[in-house]
Amino acid sequence: MEFDDAKSAVRSHFWVASWPFFETTLFLIPAAGAVEEETESEAATIKVHDCDGQLVNELVIESPRREVGCIELDSCLGMVKLEGGLKHAHLVVTSGVGTSHLCRINNRSSAAMLGSSDLFSSGRATFFPALFGADRTMMIALTNHGHEVASAKIRLFAGSKMPETTCVIPPMGSRLVSLEAEFSEVVPSKTVGGTQGYVRLSTRSEQSIGAQLIERTQSQSGEDVYLALS
Amino acid sequence: MCGGLNRTVLHFFPCAGNVTAPYATHCKLTIFGSAAGMKTAVLEGARLSQPDGLRLEDAFPALRDVAPAVVGLTIEIGTLQARVDLSSSMSVIEIQSGPYSTRFWPALVEEDDALAESLKNEAAKSANRPTSSLSPSESITKRGLWIKDAFMNSSLLLINAAETAIAPRVVARVNGAQPEATINVPPVGGQSVSEISSDSAFPAPPPIECSWGLARMGSVAVTLPPGGSAGCYAIYRDAGTRRVTSVCAI
């Protein structure tokens, strides 16, 4: 979440996805504090950038100031192109002071909260824990928050090995990185129970890049369960 | 969470901005709560810019024998290098329940105004994690999402790391034409954790029809006392299995 001091607004960046794996819902949480009039409303601006950074949709949502806004994003992602077999996008949400934003991903059987992307730039790295196993898949979703091409370095810490790969993200675009695919030669052979590793993300870019960890595992009934960092 | 089928894993990343030399760092853990009592452990051997982690019960073996419970945890990352600023360090808490893992960023705590300003400039503005108090000398009200539908139920977790009890104020606003309701929350004792379920304490708003079914939702505002030693989290549990699916620091 960022604070736009010039406009006294709150801005959040999310990686969001739709078909075919899960759907995403956006929640707009009102500011704390007394409501002067029940008819007051709060406006939020939502911009959808496809994986290549093109602005494909922009909308303004008005909701009563004291109520939670709930927007199912599937209809907003109609123009988003497929990348890596998945419809995904970079979502930018801006609303008034004191408000906050949260997303939730769900498929037919389960749901999990999806927090806004964690930010890293030239002065600050970030990290995620990664659990490798036969029953799960780990993915990193990257969003470029600037108007220049950005390059993210992804280093895996797995035992004594520390391989690194690079991902280039278009301005305002998004990319999805499968850790098993990128580090197939290093990721421990899949065993039940899993092997713990870590991913460190860094960049030389001055502008911020967002990162989110998405995990896919399976329920006892065999259905996919998606989890994210919140 | 500890006991029963739940295991907690702590992952931490000592980070000092552009400084990447592998200076030695340490991680001080303090757990508290009725199940654990108050215990402290210091982990040595960590390195700057190198992520690491461990199971909480490896640091505190007594947790292996307790009944299923929620405990509070304070994490401090430090170094003997005086010129190294670790304010951009971070940690992730993972709750393992069978084959499932729930991971979340814990809230940042400021112990004094100088550290609060540093964190506000470094971590609070550039990261996703809310701080427990923007200024330790002021109380602060924060708002989180509560939801009840076919997928999940919500609860509120209040954590008090101070030695004395606190009396937080919790107000729920629900969607629909209903006034806000003050939730009767008993004081949270010193160094303890209290969970408030939305089923029992929160008002029942009219449901909203969504593509996945009916959903009830609203926001909950929590006012914490000054001092920076209290925090609150929204817990989201699977509606059928009660398994924790998400945790969000408010």
Side-chain angles (χ1 to χ4, degrees), chain B residues 221-239:
Chain B
V222 182
T223 303
L224 297 172
S229 57
C232 56
Y233 293 83
I235 309 287
Y236 302 97
R237 296 176 184 272
D238 183 89

Side-chain angles (χ1 to χ4, degrees), chain A residues 93-105:
Chain A
V93 185
T94 307
S95 57
V97 175
T99 60
S100 58
H101 320 122
L102 186 63
C103 280
R104 189 176 80 168
I105 55 177

Side-chain angles (χ1 to χ4, degrees), chain B residues 141-188:
Chain B
T141 298
K142 298 205 136 183
R143 188 172 294 279
L145 169 74
W146 73 266
I147 186 169
K148 183 180 172 65
D149 63 3
F151 288 124
M152 52 176 54
N153 294 330
S154 312
S155 61
L156 190 66
L157 192 73
L158 300 169
I159 298 177
N160 179 18
E163 293 182 353
T164 55
I166 60 171
R169 182 168 181 263
V170 179
V171 176
R173 281 187 189 160
V174 300
N175 282 14
Q178 294 189 17
E180 63 182 30
T182 298
I183 307 299
N184 184 18
V185 176
V188 183

Side-chain angles (χ1 to χ4, degrees), chain B residues 90-102:
Chain B
M90 57 198 80
S91 57
V92 170
I93 308 297
E94 178 179 354
I95 301 172
Q96 295 177 344
S97 179
Y100 307 106
S101 289
T102 300

Side-chain angles (χ1 to χ4, degrees), chain B residues 185-208:
Chain B
V185 176
V188 183
Q191 293 169 350
S192 65
V193 179
S194 175
E195 185 171 355
I196 306 163
S197 168
S198 62
D199 285 343
S200 57
F202 285 38
I208 302 169

